[in-house]
Amino acid sequence: MRTAICPGSFDPVTLGHYDIIKRASNMFDKVIVGVLNNSAKKYVFDKDMRVELLKKSLSDIPNIEVISFDGLLADLANIKNAAFIVKGLRALSDFEYEFQMALTNKKLNPDVETVFLTTSAEYMFLSSSIVKDVAKHGGDISKFVPKSVLSDIERVLCRGK
Ligand code: PNS
């Protein structure tokens, strides 16, 4: 059984995340989507909502489990018996940070391999921050987030408008 973890903040999930997770689900028997809940970080979407939005948008993919975690990703991989971490790479600018994380995770848990998937071209520009910024300024985010959770995301981001 080959299990991979797709970790992230997912604040909120985007079509870029969906694309990477879907492709990972074709490569591994099981994909665990690990939603980081770092108490030192401020999120727009709380932990439960980030998990719910992922569960809803990934409901068409059978071999997915969505969980939240805090602490080290390398420890989560150990607990969940996952030998792979899957990350998406959008551009060269992602590389240095991702390389540093992959090497750190390898030191912390030598049994785990980080696998990078190049982002699909149409999502190269996309990030959760971009979604939040566009929505904040009244823009249309329907091309950026999964359709099944668009209204949930808009409800939070357009609150008070
Ligand atoms: O979506 P993000 O915020 O870029 O995801 C970053 C994430 C969750 C992959 C990274 O912050 C992480 O793995 N955090 C867990 C803490 C950890 O393991 N740190 C040591 C490795 S750098």
PDB file of all heavy atoms in Angstrom, residues 6-11 17 34-38 41 43 69-75 85 87 90 97-98 100-102 104-105 108 128, ligand 1:
ATOM      1  N   CYS A   6      -0.392  14.932   1.054  1.00  0.00           N
ATOM      2  CA  CYS A   6      -0.367  16.255   0.412  1.00  0.00           C
ATOM      3  C   CYS A   6      -0.611  17.273   1.522  1.00  0.00           C
ATOM      4  O   CYS A   6      -1.753  17.425   1.979  1.00  0.00           O
ATOM      5  CB  CYS A   6      -1.474  16.380  -0.632  1.00  0.00           C
ATOM      6  SG  CYS A   6      -1.148  15.574  -2.184  1.00  0.00           S
ATOM      7  N   PRO A   7       0.438  17.948   1.993  1.00  0.00           N
ATOM      8  CA  PRO A   7       0.250  18.877   3.112  1.00  0.00           C
ATOM      9  C   PRO A   7       0.034  20.318   2.629  1.00  0.00           C
ATOM     10  O   PRO A   7       0.407  20.672   1.510  1.00  0.00           O
ATOM     11  CB  PRO A   7       1.601  18.786   3.829  1.00  0.00           C
ATOM     12  CG  PRO A   7       2.579  18.588   2.708  1.00  0.00           C
ATOM     13  CD  PRO A   7       1.861  17.844   1.612  1.00  0.00           C
ATOM     14  N   GLY A   8      -0.565  21.104   3.458  1.00  0.00           N
ATOM     15  CA  GLY A   8      -0.713  22.526   3.110  1.00  0.00           C
ATOM     16  C   GLY A   8      -1.568  23.236   4.133  1.00  0.00           C
ATOM     17  O   GLY A   8      -2.105  22.623   5.052  1.00  0.00           O
ATOM     18  N   SER A   9      -1.698  24.553   3.916  1.00  0.00           N
ATOM     19  CA  SER A   9      -2.582  25.346   4.782  1.00  0.00           C
ATOM     20  C   SER A   9      -4.000  25.342   4.226  1.00  0.00           C
ATOM     21  O   SER A   9      -4.968  25.402   4.987  1.00  0.00           O
ATOM     22  CB  SER A   9      -2.074  26.789   4.878  1.00  0.00           C
ATOM     23  OG  SER A   9      -0.783  26.820   5.408  1.00  0.00           O
ATOM     24  N   PHE A  10      -4.122  25.333   2.903  1.00  0.00           N
ATOM     25  CA  PHE A  10      -5.428  25.274   2.225  1.00  0.00           C
ATOM     26  C   PHE A  10      -6.377  26.344   2.774  1.00  0.00           C
ATOM     27  O   PHE A  10      -7.492  26.038   3.175  1.00  0.00           O
ATOM     28  CB  PHE A  10      -6.053  23.876   2.364  1.00  0.00           C
ATOM     29  CG  PHE A  10      -5.169  22.766   1.863  1.00  0.00           C
ATOM     30  CD1 PHE A  10      -4.492  21.927   2.749  1.00  0.00           C
ATOM     31  CD2 PHE A  10      -4.979  22.559   0.502  1.00  0.00           C
ATOM     32  CE1 PHE A  10      -3.668  20.900   2.298  1.00  0.00           C
ATOM     33  CE2 PHE A  10      -4.155  21.530   0.037  1.00  0.00           C
ATOM     34  CZ  PHE A  10      -3.504  20.699   0.935  1.00  0.00           C
ATOM     35  N   ASP A  11      -5.937  27.577   2.743  1.00  0.00           N
ATOM     36  CA  ASP A  11      -6.709  28.682   3.354  1.00  0.00           C
ATOM     37  C   ASP A  11      -7.145  29.690   2.287  1.00  0.00           C
ATOM     38  O   ASP A  11      -6.657  30.824   2.311  1.00  0.00           O
ATOM     39  CB  ASP A  11      -5.828  29.360   4.422  1.00  0.00           C
ATOM     40  CG  ASP A  11      -6.597  30.376   5.248  1.00  0.00           C
ATOM     41  OD1 ASP A  11      -7.787  30.141   5.511  1.00  0.00           O
ATOM     42  OD2 ASP A  11      -6.016  31.418   5.607  1.00  0.00           O
ATOM     43  N   HIS A  17      -4.711  23.334  -5.955  1.00  0.00           N
ATOM     44  CA  HIS A  17      -4.600  22.238  -4.974  1.00  0.00           C
ATOM     45  C   HIS A  17      -5.328  21.002  -5.496  1.00  0.00           C
ATOM     46  O   HIS A  17      -4.820  19.885  -5.431  1.00  0.00           O
ATOM     47  CB  HIS A  17      -5.251  22.627  -3.630  1.00  0.00           C
ATOM     48  CG  HIS A  17      -4.580  23.759  -2.906  1.00  0.00           C
ATOM     49  ND1 HIS A  17      -5.278  24.810  -2.369  1.00  0.00           N
ATOM     50  CD2 HIS A  17      -3.269  23.984  -2.609  1.00  0.00           C
ATOM     51  CE1 HIS A  17      -4.436  25.640  -1.765  1.00  0.00           C
ATOM     52  NE2 HIS A  17      -3.214  25.157  -1.897  1.00  0.00           N
ATOM     53  N   GLY A  34      -3.217  16.628   4.383  1.00  0.00           N
ATOM     54  CA  GLY A  34      -2.913  17.088   5.743  1.00  0.00           C
ATOM     55  C   GLY A  34      -3.053  18.594   5.833  1.00  0.00           C
ATOM     56  O   GLY A  34      -2.298  19.342   5.215  1.00  0.00           O
ATOM     57  N   VAL A  35      -4.040  19.027   6.602  1.00  0.00           N
ATOM     58  CA  VAL A  35      -4.317  20.459   6.727  1.00  0.00           C
ATOM     59  C   VAL A  35      -3.596  20.978   7.966  1.00  0.00           C
ATOM     60  O   VAL A  35      -3.949  20.606   9.101  1.00  0.00           O
ATOM     61  CB  VAL A  35      -5.844  20.695   6.854  1.00  0.00           C
ATOM     62  CG1 VAL A  35      -6.150  22.176   7.000  1.00  0.00           C
ATOM     63  CG2 VAL A  35      -6.578  20.092   5.658  1.00  0.00           C
ATOM     64  N   LEU A  36      -2.589  21.795   7.745  1.00  0.00           N
ATOM     65  CA  LEU A  36      -1.801  22.285   8.887  1.00  0.00           C
ATOM     66  C   LEU A  36      -2.611  23.247   9.730  1.00  0.00           C
ATOM     67  O   LEU A  36      -3.221  24.183   9.213  1.00  0.00           O
ATOM     68  CB  LEU A  36      -0.522  22.987   8.390  1.00  0.00           C
ATOM     69  CG  LEU A  36       0.356  23.546   9.516  1.00  0.00           C
ATOM     70  CD1 LEU A  36       0.980  22.425  10.345  1.00  0.00           C
ATOM     71  CD2 LEU A  36       1.442  24.455   8.969  1.00  0.00           C
ATOM     72  N   ASN A  37      -2.615  23.016  11.028  1.00  0.00           N
ATOM     73  CA  ASN A  37      -3.241  23.966  11.944  1.00  0.00           C
ATOM     74  C   ASN A  37      -2.174  24.471  12.896  1.00  0.00           C
ATOM     75  O   ASN A  37      -1.943  23.893  13.951  1.00  0.00           O
ATOM     76  CB  ASN A  37      -4.397  23.318  12.694  1.00  0.00           C
ATOM     77  CG  ASN A  37      -5.290  24.365  13.319  1.00  0.00           C
ATOM     78  OD1 ASN A  37      -5.488  25.421  12.727  1.00  0.00           O
ATOM     79  ND2 ASN A  37      -5.797  24.106  14.503  1.00  0.00           N
ATOM     80  N   ASN A  38      -1.499  25.516  12.486  1.00  0.00           N
ATOM     81  CA  ASN A  38      -0.398  26.086  13.263  1.00  0.00           C
ATOM     82  C   ASN A  38      -0.967  27.190  14.155  1.00  0.00           C
ATOM     83  O   ASN A  38      -1.456  28.208  13.652  1.00  0.00           O
ATOM     84  CB  ASN A  38       0.631  26.641  12.256  1.00  0.00           C
ATOM     85  CG  ASN A  38       1.808  27.305  12.930  1.00  0.00           C
ATOM     86  OD1 ASN A  38       1.786  27.544  14.136  1.00  0.00           O
ATOM     87  ND2 ASN A  38       2.829  27.607  12.163  1.00  0.00           N
ATOM     88  N   LYS A  41      -0.209  30.791  13.610  1.00  0.00           N
ATOM     89  CA  LYS A  41      -0.566  31.422  12.335  1.00  0.00           C
ATOM     90  C   LYS A  41      -2.035  31.817  12.338  1.00  0.00           C
ATOM     91  O   LYS A  41      -2.870  31.124  12.925  1.00  0.00           O
ATOM     92  CB  LYS A  41      -0.314  30.406  11.206  1.00  0.00           C
ATOM     93  CG  LYS A  41       0.155  31.032   9.906  1.00  0.00           C
ATOM     94  CD  LYS A  41       0.611  29.980   8.925  1.00  0.00           C
ATOM     95  CE  LYS A  41       0.229  30.406   7.524  1.00  0.00           C
ATOM     96  NZ  LYS A  41       0.536  29.391   6.520  1.00  0.00           N
ATOM     97  N   TYR A  43      -5.412  32.240  10.309  1.00  0.00           N
ATOM     98  CA  TYR A  43      -6.050  31.783   9.070  1.00  0.00           C
ATOM     99  C   TYR A  43      -7.365  32.541   8.878  1.00  0.00           C
ATOM    100  O   TYR A  43      -8.014  32.904   9.863  1.00  0.00           O
ATOM    101  CB  TYR A  43      -6.363  30.282   9.147  1.00  0.00           C
ATOM    102  CG  TYR A  43      -5.143  29.404   9.376  1.00  0.00           C
ATOM    103  CD1 TYR A  43      -4.820  28.946  10.655  1.00  0.00           C
ATOM    104  CD2 TYR A  43      -4.325  29.038   8.309  1.00  0.00           C
ATOM    105  CE1 TYR A  43      -3.707  28.140  10.864  1.00  0.00           C
ATOM    106  CE2 TYR A  43      -3.211  28.237   8.519  1.00  0.00           C
ATOM    107  CZ  TYR A  43      -2.908  27.790   9.796  1.00  0.00           C
ATOM    108  OH  TYR A  43      -1.815  26.998   9.998  1.00  0.00           O
ATOM    109  N   PHE A  69      -3.617  18.563  11.084  1.00  0.00           N
ATOM    110  CA  PHE A  69      -2.495  18.174  11.943  1.00  0.00           C
ATOM    111  C   PHE A  69      -1.792  19.421  12.447  1.00  0.00           C
ATOM    112  O   PHE A  69      -1.905  20.502  11.858  1.00  0.00           O
ATOM    113  CB  PHE A  69      -1.504  17.251  11.199  1.00  0.00           C
ATOM    114  CG  PHE A  69      -0.589  17.948  10.204  1.00  0.00           C
ATOM    115  CD1 PHE A  69       0.753  18.201  10.504  1.00  0.00           C
ATOM    116  CD2 PHE A  69      -1.060  18.349   8.963  1.00  0.00           C
ATOM    117  CE1 PHE A  69       1.602  18.826   9.593  1.00  0.00           C
ATOM    118  CE2 PHE A  69      -0.222  18.980   8.036  1.00  0.00           C
ATOM    119  CZ  PHE A  69       1.103  19.210   8.356  1.00  0.00           C
ATOM    120  N   ASP A  70      -1.101  19.268  13.584  1.00  0.00           N
ATOM    121  CA  ASP A  70      -0.148  20.308  13.982  1.00  0.00           C
ATOM    122  C   ASP A  70       1.161  19.584  14.265  1.00  0.00           C
ATOM    123  O   ASP A  70       1.230  18.357  14.198  1.00  0.00           O
ATOM    124  CB  ASP A  70      -0.659  21.135  15.173  1.00  0.00           C
ATOM    125  CG  ASP A  70      -1.056  20.273  16.350  1.00  0.00           C
ATOM    126  OD1 ASP A  70      -0.630  19.095  16.394  1.00  0.00           O
ATOM    127  OD2 ASP A  70      -1.781  20.759  17.226  1.00  0.00           O
ATOM    128  N   GLY A  71       2.196  20.327  14.504  1.00  0.00           N
ATOM    129  CA  GLY A  71       3.495  19.675  14.711  1.00  0.00           C
ATOM    130  C   GLY A  71       4.172  19.391  13.379  1.00  0.00           C
ATOM    131  O   GLY A  71       3.881  20.024  12.366  1.00  0.00           O
ATOM    132  N   LEU A  72       5.060  18.393  13.406  1.00  0.00           N
ATOM    133  CA  LEU A  72       5.918  18.149  12.247  1.00  0.00           C
ATOM    134  C   LEU A  72       5.264  17.234  11.207  1.00  0.00           C
ATOM    135  O   LEU A  72       4.687  16.189  11.557  1.00  0.00           O
ATOM    136  CB  LEU A  72       7.233  17.512  12.706  1.00  0.00           C
ATOM    137  CG  LEU A  72       8.179  18.398  13.508  1.00  0.00           C
ATOM    138  CD1 LEU A  72       9.368  17.581  14.019  1.00  0.00           C
ATOM    139  CD2 LEU A  72       8.677  19.581  12.668  1.00  0.00           C
ATOM    140  N   LEU A  73       5.448  17.603   9.965  1.00  0.00           N
ATOM    141  CA  LEU A  73       4.958  16.773   8.863  1.00  0.00           C
ATOM    142  C   LEU A  73       5.669  15.419   8.850  1.00  0.00           C
ATOM    143  O   LEU A  73       5.060  14.378   8.563  1.00  0.00           O
ATOM    144  CB  LEU A  73       5.208  17.532   7.542  1.00  0.00           C
ATOM    145  CG  LEU A  73       4.801  16.865   6.254  1.00  0.00           C
ATOM    146  CD1 LEU A  73       3.313  16.540   6.247  1.00  0.00           C
ATOM    147  CD2 LEU A  73       5.152  17.768   5.071  1.00  0.00           C
ATOM    148  N   ALA A  74       6.955  15.429   9.172  1.00  0.00           N
ATOM    149  CA  ALA A  74       7.729  14.180   9.188  1.00  0.00           C
ATOM    150  C   ALA A  74       7.141  13.198  10.211  1.00  0.00           C
ATOM    151  O   ALA A  74       7.130  11.984   9.979  1.00  0.00           O
ATOM    152  CB  ALA A  74       9.188  14.490   9.523  1.00  0.00           C
ATOM    153  N   ASP A  75       6.637  13.718  11.333  1.00  0.00           N
ATOM    154  CA  ASP A  75       6.012  12.854  12.349  1.00  0.00           C
ATOM    155  C   ASP A  75       4.666  12.323  11.856  1.00  0.00           C
ATOM    156  O   ASP A  75       4.328  11.166  12.085  1.00  0.00           O
ATOM    157  CB  ASP A  75       5.804  13.625  13.669  1.00  0.00           C
ATOM    158  CG  ASP A  75       7.121  13.935  14.352  1.00  0.00           C
ATOM    159  OD1 ASP A  75       8.125  13.264  14.030  1.00  0.00           O
ATOM    160  OD2 ASP A  75       7.144  14.845  15.199  1.00  0.00           O
ATOM    161  N   ILE A  85       5.660  12.361   0.412  1.00  0.00           N
ATOM    162  CA  ILE A  85       5.027  13.672   0.571  1.00  0.00           C
ATOM    163  C   ILE A  85       4.921  14.226  -0.848  1.00  0.00           C
ATOM    164  O   ILE A  85       5.911  14.202  -1.598  1.00  0.00           O
ATOM    165  CB  ILE A  85       5.905  14.618   1.428  1.00  0.00           C
ATOM    166  CG1 ILE A  85       5.958  14.116   2.877  1.00  0.00           C
ATOM    167  CG2 ILE A  85       5.395  16.049   1.367  1.00  0.00           C
ATOM    168  CD1 ILE A  85       7.035  14.806   3.719  1.00  0.00           C
ATOM    169  N   LYS A  87       4.171  17.505  -3.216  1.00  0.00           N
ATOM    170  CA  LYS A  87       4.029  18.964  -3.250  1.00  0.00           C
ATOM    171  C   LYS A  87       3.923  19.422  -4.700  1.00  0.00           C
ATOM    172  O   LYS A  87       4.538  18.815  -5.581  1.00  0.00           O
ATOM    173  CB  LYS A  87       5.258  19.655  -2.614  1.00  0.00           C
ATOM    174  CG  LYS A  87       5.583  19.304  -1.198  1.00  0.00           C
ATOM    175  CD  LYS A  87       4.556  19.761  -0.163  1.00  0.00           C
ATOM    176  CE  LYS A  87       4.147  21.199  -0.149  1.00  0.00           C
ATOM    177  NZ  LYS A  87       4.992  22.068   0.648  1.00  0.00           N
ATOM    178  N   ARG A  90       5.020  25.525  -8.552  1.00  0.00           N
ATOM    179  CA  ARG A  90       4.447  26.431  -9.549  1.00  0.00           C
ATOM    180  C   ARG A  90       5.520  27.110 -10.389  1.00  0.00           C
ATOM    181  O   ARG A  90       5.389  27.255 -11.586  1.00  0.00           O
ATOM    182  CB  ARG A  90       3.610  27.526  -8.868  1.00  0.00           C
ATOM    183  CG  ARG A  90       2.259  27.062  -8.441  1.00  0.00           C
ATOM    184  CD  ARG A  90       1.615  28.026  -7.519  1.00  0.00           C
ATOM    185  NE  ARG A  90       2.439  28.220  -6.347  1.00  0.00           N
ATOM    186  CZ  ARG A  90       2.041  28.739  -5.207  1.00  0.00           C
ATOM    187  NH1 ARG A  90       0.805  29.170  -5.094  1.00  0.00           N
ATOM    188  NH2 ARG A  90       2.842  28.856  -4.185  1.00  0.00           N
ATOM    189  N   TYR A  97      12.341  27.270  -1.149  1.00  0.00           N
ATOM    190  CA  TYR A  97      11.614  26.949   0.087  1.00  0.00           C
ATOM    191  C   TYR A  97      11.236  25.466   0.118  1.00  0.00           C
ATOM    192  O   TYR A  97      11.408  24.778   1.139  1.00  0.00           O
ATOM    193  CB  TYR A  97      10.384  27.856   0.149  1.00  0.00           C
ATOM    194  CG  TYR A  97       9.448  27.610   1.308  1.00  0.00           C
ATOM    195  CD1 TYR A  97       9.900  27.703   2.620  1.00  0.00           C
ATOM    196  CD2 TYR A  97       8.102  27.316   1.093  1.00  0.00           C
ATOM    197  CE1 TYR A  97       9.034  27.480   3.683  1.00  0.00           C
ATOM    198  CE2 TYR A  97       7.231  27.107   2.146  1.00  0.00           C
ATOM    199  CZ  TYR A  97       7.703  27.179   3.435  1.00  0.00           C
ATOM    200  OH  TYR A  97       6.834  26.962   4.481  1.00  0.00           O
ATOM    201  N   GLU A  98      10.757  24.972  -1.016  1.00  0.00           N
ATOM    202  CA  GLU A  98      10.338  23.565  -1.070  1.00  0.00           C
ATOM    203  C   GLU A  98      11.535  22.625  -0.913  1.00  0.00           C
ATOM    204  O   GLU A  98      11.437  21.572  -0.286  1.00  0.00           O
ATOM    205  CB  GLU A  98       9.614  23.274  -2.395  1.00  0.00           C
ATOM    206  CG  GLU A  98       8.287  23.987  -2.550  1.00  0.00           C
ATOM    207  CD  GLU A  98       7.243  23.533  -1.529  1.00  0.00           C
ATOM    208  OE1 GLU A  98       7.426  22.483  -0.899  1.00  0.00           O
ATOM    209  OE2 GLU A  98       6.239  24.250  -1.377  1.00  0.00           O
ATOM    210  N   GLN A 100      14.289  23.265   0.720  1.00  0.00           N
ATOM    211  CA  GLN A 100      14.668  23.334   2.133  1.00  0.00           C
ATOM    212  C   GLN A 100      13.753  22.436   2.976  1.00  0.00           C
ATOM    213  O   GLN A 100      14.226  21.666   3.829  1.00  0.00           O
ATOM    214  CB  GLN A 100      14.531  24.794   2.583  1.00  0.00           C
ATOM    215  CG  GLN A 100      15.092  25.090   3.939  1.00  0.00           C
ATOM    216  CD  GLN A 100      14.903  26.559   4.303  1.00  0.00           C
ATOM    217  OE1 GLN A 100      14.031  27.248   3.774  1.00  0.00           O
ATOM    218  NE2 GLN A 100      15.717  27.035   5.210  1.00  0.00           N
ATOM    219  N   MET A 101      12.447  22.499   2.707  1.00  0.00           N
ATOM    220  CA  MET A 101      11.501  21.670   3.472  1.00  0.00           C
ATOM    221  C   MET A 101      11.729  20.186   3.189  1.00  0.00           C
ATOM    222  O   MET A 101      11.691  19.357   4.103  1.00  0.00           O
ATOM    223  CB  MET A 101      10.061  22.050   3.135  1.00  0.00           C
ATOM    224  CG  MET A 101       9.604  23.287   3.856  1.00  0.00           C
ATOM    225  SD  MET A 101       7.804  23.396   3.960  1.00  0.00           S
ATOM    226  CE  MET A 101       7.410  23.819   2.291  1.00  0.00           C
ATOM    227  N   ALA A 102      11.946  19.863   1.910  1.00  0.00           N
ATOM    228  CA  ALA A 102      12.139  18.446   1.544  1.00  0.00           C
ATOM    229  C   ALA A 102      13.387  17.887   2.235  1.00  0.00           C
ATOM    230  O   ALA A 102      13.369  16.771   2.770  1.00  0.00           O
ATOM    231  CB  ALA A 102      12.257  18.309   0.032  1.00  0.00           C
ATOM    232  N   THR A 104      14.813  19.021   4.976  1.00  0.00           N
ATOM    233  CA  THR A 104      14.564  18.957   6.429  1.00  0.00           C
ATOM    234  C   THR A 104      13.733  17.716   6.764  1.00  0.00           C
ATOM    235  O   THR A 104      14.057  16.964   7.701  1.00  0.00           O
ATOM    236  CB  THR A 104      13.819  20.225   6.910  1.00  0.00           C
ATOM    237  OG1 THR A 104      14.549  21.361   6.494  1.00  0.00           O
ATOM    238  CG2 THR A 104      13.653  20.236   8.421  1.00  0.00           C
ATOM    239  N   ASN A 105      12.698  17.496   5.972  1.00  0.00           N
ATOM    240  CA  ASN A 105      11.834  16.331   6.235  1.00  0.00           C
ATOM    241  C   ASN A 105      12.594  15.019   6.064  1.00  0.00           C
ATOM    242  O   ASN A 105      12.362  14.059   6.789  1.00  0.00           O
ATOM    243  CB  ASN A 105      10.596  16.377   5.331  1.00  0.00           C
ATOM    244  CG  ASN A 105       9.604  17.431   5.804  1.00  0.00           C
ATOM    245  OD1 ASN A 105       9.485  17.682   7.002  1.00  0.00           O
ATOM    246  ND2 ASN A 105       8.924  18.066   4.878  1.00  0.00           N
ATOM    247  N   LEU A 108      14.586  14.529   9.185  1.00  0.00           N
ATOM    248  CA  LEU A 108      13.734  14.171  10.323  1.00  0.00           C
ATOM    249  C   LEU A 108      13.146  12.775  10.184  1.00  0.00           C
ATOM    250  O   LEU A 108      12.948  12.079  11.170  1.00  0.00           O
ATOM    251  CB  LEU A 108      12.591  15.190  10.454  1.00  0.00           C
ATOM    252  CG  LEU A 108      12.997  16.623  10.828  1.00  0.00           C
ATOM    253  CD1 LEU A 108      11.800  17.560  10.711  1.00  0.00           C
ATOM    254  CD2 LEU A 108      13.566  16.673  12.250  1.00  0.00           C
ATOM    255  N   SER A 128      -3.787  30.523  -2.638  1.00  0.00           N
ATOM    256  CA  SER A 128      -4.875  30.899  -1.726  1.00  0.00           C
ATOM    257  C   SER A 128      -4.854  32.407  -1.465  1.00  0.00           C
ATOM    258  O   SER A 128      -5.909  33.036  -1.342  1.00  0.00           O
ATOM    259  CB  SER A 128      -4.740  30.148  -0.398  1.00  0.00           C
ATOM    260  OG  SER A 128      -4.830  28.764  -0.603  1.00  0.00           O
TER     261      SER A 128
HETATM  262  O1  PNS B   1       0.329  25.640   2.074  1.00  0.00           O
HETATM  263  P1  PNS B   1       1.624  25.962   2.785  1.00  0.00           P
HETATM  264  O2  PNS B   1       1.362  26.947   3.918  1.00  0.00           O
HETATM  265  O3  PNS B   1       2.704  26.408   1.861  1.00  0.00           O
HETATM  266  O4  PNS B   1       2.104  24.575   3.451  1.00  0.00           O
HETATM  267  C1  PNS B   1       3.272  24.525   4.218  1.00  0.00           C
HETATM  268  C2  PNS B   1       3.403  23.187   4.945  1.00  0.00           C
HETATM  269  C3  PNS B   1       2.126  22.848   5.703  1.00  0.00           C
HETATM  270  C4  PNS B   1       3.651  22.097   3.937  1.00  0.00           C
HETATM  271  C5  PNS B   1       4.613  23.312   5.902  1.00  0.00           C
HETATM  272  O5  PNS B   1       4.491  24.506   6.614  1.00  0.00           O
HETATM  273  C6  PNS B   1       4.716  22.161   6.878  1.00  0.00           C
HETATM  274  O6  PNS B   1       4.943  21.041   6.503  1.00  0.00           O
HETATM  275  N1  PNS B   1       4.530  22.467   8.169  1.00  0.00           N
HETATM  276  C7  PNS B   1       4.580  21.505   9.244  1.00  0.00           C
HETATM  277  C8  PNS B   1       5.742  21.820  10.190  1.00  0.00           C
HETATM  278  C9  PNS B   1       7.011  21.109   9.768  1.00  0.00           C
HETATM  279  O7  PNS B   1       7.021  19.915   9.541  1.00  0.00           O
HETATM  280  N2  PNS B   1       8.105  21.887   9.674  1.00  0.00           N
HETATM  281  C10 PNS B   1       9.414  21.339   9.343  1.00  0.00           C
HETATM  282  C11 PNS B   1       9.617  21.128   7.861  1.00  0.00           C
HETATM  283  S1  PNS B   1      10.058  22.625   7.090  1.00  0.00           S
END
